[in-house]
């Protein structure tokens, strides 16, 4: 049986340390920003492709 720490917010099963370590809030926010920035930069350039796909599905043929 593998003894390890549980996930944050999970019930302690009695094995390992009861204190789950999480990343600091500043690190979590940095990851969120680094994830969203490329999406926000690419969206205006890809918007015409999204609109074309929606219009193609709306045309009855």
């Amino acid at each position: 049986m593998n003894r390890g720490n549980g996930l944050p917010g999970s019930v302690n099963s009695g094995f390992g340390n009861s204190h789950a370590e999480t990343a600091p809030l500043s690190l979590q926010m940095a990851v969120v920003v680094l994830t969203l920035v490329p999406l926000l930069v690419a969206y205006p350039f890809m918007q015409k492709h999204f609109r074309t796909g929606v219009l193609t599905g709306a045309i009855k043929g």
Side-chain angles (χ1 to χ4, degrees):
M1 180 176 283
N2 187 6
R3 288 185 175 199
N5 292 336
L7 295 173
S10 65
V11 177
N12 185 11
S13 63
F15 295 113
N17 189 0
S18 64
H19 300 291
E21 303 235 353
T22 59
L25 186 60
S26 58
L27 180 60
Q28 291 176 2
M29 292 301 116
V31 170
V32 168
V33 169
L34 290 176
T35 302
L36 289 178
V37 166
L39 294 173
L40 294 175
V41 169
Y43 184 78
F45 299 107
M46 300 299 291
Q47 189 173 7
K48 64 181 176 182
H49 298 292
F50 294 139
R51 186 178 39 203
T52 303
V54 170
L55 289 176
T56 301
I59 297 174
K60 197 172 187 179

